[in-house]
Amino acid sequence: APLLSLIDVHTHYRSNTRQVHAVQGVSLSLARGETLGLVGESGCGKSTLSRTIMRLVDTSSGKLVFDGEDITHAGTRQLRPYRRRVQMIFQDPYSSLNPRQTVGQILDNALVIHGVDSRRARMERVTRIIDAVGLPTRSVERHPHAFSGGQRQRIAIARALILQPELVICDEPVSALDVSIQAQILNLLADLKAEFSLSYLFISHDLAVVQYIADRVMVMQAGKIVETGDHTSIWTTP
Ligand code: ADP
Ligand code: ADP
C-alpha cells in the first residue's frame, strides 16, 4: 500500500469577495522510499497542495490517506501522530526556526513538544542529527542568524528530521540558495533519505532541480496534475 495517497482532492480559499479553486481534483500516490517530484510555475497550487496534505487548510472534497488511515477529516487528537510522522522543509528556513532560540533549544523543543521526556535521550538525538546534517556540534549554542543560508537550511532539515518522520515535504528547499549550495543541500537530502529511510514529496518550480532528485515527476498546472512520468521522460518546460 502507498505511504500517502490523495484521491480527487479539491481545495478552495474563500473570502467575502472571491473564491480561489487552488487544487482541482488532484490524485496521487507516493510509495514508501520514493522521492516524488512536483513541478509547476508559481501560482499553480503547489504550496496549497502541501498545506492540504499537512492538513493546514481544509479539503473541500476528496480523500487523504496516510499509511492506510483516512485523515481527510481527522481531528486534532488523531492528527497528533501524523504531525510528527510528516514534516516539512520550506524555502525560508525561518518558517520552522524560532530566531530567538539557539539551535539546541529549537531541536530540543521539537522533542519536548512531541513527548520525548528524557533529557538525556533528547541530548543524544540533538547531537546525532546535528552531525547527520553536517554541522559542527558547537552549532547548538548559536542562533540561526549566525549561520549562512545553506547552513540555516541544514538546521531546518535537522528540525524536521529530529522527529524521525517517515514523509518529508520539501517545499522549494533550495530555491533561495546559490546554485553551488543548492547541489550540496540536494545531495545532503539524498544521503539523509537513505540513512533514515525517508520518503519525499519534493516541490519546486525548477524542473532541473526536481529531475536531479526525484524518482518520478508530476507536473502541475492551474491546480491540476497534467503529466506524470519518470524523471527522464518529463520535458515540459514549467
Ligand atoms: P504555488 O505554490 O504553486 O506558487 P499557491 O498554492 O501558493 O501556488 O497558490 C495557488 C493559488 O491560490 C494562486 O492563485 C494563489 O493566488 C491562491 N492563494 C494562495 N494562498 C491563498 C490564500 N491564503 N488566500 C487566497 N488565495 C490564495
Ligand atoms: P515555537 O515557535 O512555539 O517554539 P515551533 O515553531 O517549533 O514552536 O512549532 C510550532 C508548530 O509547528 C508545532 O506544532 C510544530 O510541530 C510545527 N512545526 C514546526 N516545524 C515544523 C516542520 N518542519 N514540519 C512540520 N511541522 C512543523
Side-chain angles (χ1 to χ4, degrees), residues 6 27 44 53 64 90 96 101 111 125 135-136 168 199 232 238:
L6 272 65
S27 298
C44 75
I53 294 168
L64 219 56
F90 305 92
S96 57
Q101 294 180 329
L111 294 174
R125 272 166 73 170
L135 290 171
V168 182
S199 307
T232 54

Side-chain angles (χ1 to χ4, degrees), residues 34-153:
E34 183 176 35
T35 296
L36 179 60
L38 177 67
V39 71
E41 67 188 24
S42 178
C44 75
K46 303 183 298 299
S47 291
T48 305
L49 187 62
S50 66
R51 291 208 288 272
T52 302
I53 294 168
M54 292 304 291
R55 284 289 319 272
L56 299 172
V57 289
D58 280 327
T59 323
S60 327
S61 70
K63 210 163 128 176
L64 219 56
V65 180
F66 182 77
D67 196 17
E69 192 178 352
D70 186 341
I71 54 147
T72 323
H73 303 291
T76 316
R77 181 187 288 255
Q78 197 191 346
L79 284 177
R80 180 171 277 273
Y82 181 68
R83 292 203 159 133
R84 182 194 65 75
R85 295 173 71 188
V86 183
Q87 291 293 313
M88 281 198 80
I89 298 165
F90 305 92
Q91 175 166 0
D92 172 12
Y94 280 122
S95 303
S96 57
L97 304 179
N98 181 341
R100 288 179 304 278
Q101 294 180 329
T102 64
V103 171
Q105 287 167 339
I106 289 167
L107 297 174
D108 186 68
N109 192 37
L111 294 174
V112 170
I113 290 171
H114 286 272
V116 181
D117 291 329
S118 152
R119 189 178 157 75
R120 182 167 167 188
R122 294 202 305 271
M123 282 172 66
E124 277 170 13
R125 272 166 73 170
V126 168
T127 307
R128 175 157 182 240
I129 201 73
I130 279 291
D131 182 55
V133 300
L135 290 171
T137 312
R138 65 176 186 282
S139 306
V140 296
E141 290 151 26
R142 300 161 69 194
H143 289 77
H145 60 73
F147 295 84
S148 68
Q151 287 176 320
R152 213 173 286 149
Q153 196 55 288

Side-chain angles (χ1 to χ4, degrees), residues 37-39 202-204 206-214 217 231:
L38 177 67
V39 71
F202 191 100
I203 302 174
S204 177
D206 187 338
L207 181 61
V209 163
V210 171
Q211 282 183 320
Y212 183 75
I213 195 155
V217 180
H231 67 115

